[in-house]
């Protein structure tokens, strides 16, 4: 991207943020500071991720480390959300790893997407995020069902 395109991007994002703050002010929603703080955090996080990805694309051998970090973050997040499940970390880890491996394997093996580092990192981020969400929702749904139908489960056991 050239400097002019970057400048247009920054101006556009600043205008969107100003519009959001103006709407919150007009609607008398007392969360303007939260929106500004969240926006600043997002900019900082995305800048860091952008720098990390630039490094990964320059040295493709580091892609495995990026994938491992993604998986560890997803497993940690989903496991924290499933408090009370024994061995949640191991079970969520296996589920995320197998789910993501199968999905990415099929996509790349069939040639649906060109196999390169950029596509691998981009798709892995989406797929691992999806497996994290699936594990969380499945665990919560299971716990809810077991609580609601406790008598029936005990009778079957």
């Amino acid at each position: 991207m050239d400097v002019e395109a970057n400048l247009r991007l920054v101006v556009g994002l600043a205008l969107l943020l100003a519009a959001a703050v103006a709407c919150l002010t007009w609607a008398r929603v007392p969360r303007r500071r939260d929106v500004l703080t969240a926006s600043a955090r997002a900019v900082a996080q995305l800048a860091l991720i952008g720098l990390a990805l630039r490094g990964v694309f320059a040295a493709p051998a580091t892609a495995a480390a990026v994938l491992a970090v993604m998986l560890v973050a997803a497993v940690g997040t989903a496991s924290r959300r499933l408090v009370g499940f024994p061995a949640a970390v191991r079970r969520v880890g296996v589920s995320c790893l197998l789910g993501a491996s199968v999905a990415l394997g099929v996509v790349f093996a069939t040639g649906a997407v060109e196999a390169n580092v950029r596509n691998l990192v981009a798709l892995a981020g989406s797929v691992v995020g999806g497996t994290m969400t699936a594990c969380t929702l499945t665990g919560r749904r299971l716990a809810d069902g077991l609580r609601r139908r406790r008598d029936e489960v005990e009778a079957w056991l």
Side-chain angles (χ1 to χ4, degrees), residues 74-75 78-79 81-82 85 88 91-97 128-142:
V75 169
S79 298
R81 293 175 180 170
L82 297 176
F85 279 93
R91 292 179 174 144
V92 168
V94 169
S95 298
C96 286
L97 181 62
V128 169
T131 61
M132 175 188 69
T133 302
C135 286
T136 301
L137 293 176
T138 300
R140 287 179 177 171
R141 183 81 172 127
L142 175 64

Side-chain angles (χ1 to χ4, degrees), residues 76-143:
T77 301
S79 298
R80 279 192 310 274
R81 293 175 180 170
L82 297 176
V83 177
F85 279 93
V89 173
R90 183 172 45 92
R91 292 179 174 144
V92 168
V94 169
S95 298
C96 286
L97 181 62
L98 291 177
S101 297
V102 169
L104 292 171
V106 167
V107 167
F108 288 115
T110 61
V113 175
E114 181 185 345
N116 60 41
V117 174
R118 285 183 188 271
N119 290 341
L120 176 62
V121 171
L123 285 175
S126 295
V127 171
V128 169
T131 61
M132 175 188 69
T133 302
C135 286
T136 301
L137 293 176
T138 300
R140 287 179 177 171
R141 183 81 172 127
L142 175 64

Side-chain angles (χ1 to χ4, degrees), residues 1-12 54:
M1 283 177 95
D2 61 352
V3 174
E4 184 179 329
N6 286 333
L7 183 60
R8 283 194 309 254
L9 177 64
V10 169
V11 169
R54 179 176 280 193

